[in-house]
Amino acid sequence: MNKRDSTPSPTFGRNGSYEPVSNRSKPLAKQVVMRVADEVNRPYQELIPLYEIIDPDALDNLFAPTHEGDARSDGLVKFEYAGCEVIVDSVGKVIVDQVDTQKEQ
């Protein structure tokens, strides 16, 4: 498996990225699609629509700032998409890891 963890970086894409939720320039759903496409080495247009797996608006709103404007302090969501395990946490960290299709015996 080739685990890719987004780390603090001013770039987005192949070098990974990390943007706190309050400073995100791209919605989490879009980040997930782009990171998964990168991980499976396919254009994002060839992936099944994310909404067939998880509600993109709900994902984007899940870790949005509170009504008082405070950042969410904890939590994560984990799901499979296009052959990858995706983990998104409350600070906007997106981790994508291809699922091993061959089960070890």
Side-chain angles (χ1 to χ4, degrees):
M1 285 187 210
N2 183 12
K3 186 169 248 180
R4 292 188 184 185
D5 184 354
S6 52
T7 56
S9 170
T11 62
F12 176 77
R14 295 192 183 275
N15 295 329
S17 69
Y18 171 84
E19 294 180 76
V21 172
S22 60
N23 296 327
R24 277 196 327 251
S25 61
K26 292 184 176 84
L28 278 173
K30 186 170 185 171
Q31 290 185 48
V32 166
V33 171
M34 300 307 286
R35 294 290 311 277
V36 169
D38 185 48
E39 179 70 19
V40 297
N41 198 28
R42 292 174 52 199
Y44 73 91
Q45 299 93 331
E46 291 182 6
L47 301 178
I48 63 169
L50 184 61
Y51 64 77
E52 291 187 16
I53 305 300
I54 191 169
D55 182 335
D57 292 331
L59 180 63
D60 291 335
N61 293 325
L62 183 62
F63 301 122
T66 65
H67 291 292
E68 292 80 29
D70 299 326
R72 306 283 178 181
S73 60
D74 58 3
L76 62 86
V77 64
K78 180 177 171 180
F79 57 95
E80 286 191 20
Y81 173 56
C84 294
E85 178 181 80
V86 178
I87 301 171
V88 179
D89 74 10
S90 63
V91 295
K93 188 175 187 180
V94 177
I95 300 170
V96 174
D97 187 19
Q98 283 194 23
V99 176
D100 188 4
T101 56
Q102 295 180 354
K103 304 284 183 195
E104 293 182 30
Q105 296 182 8

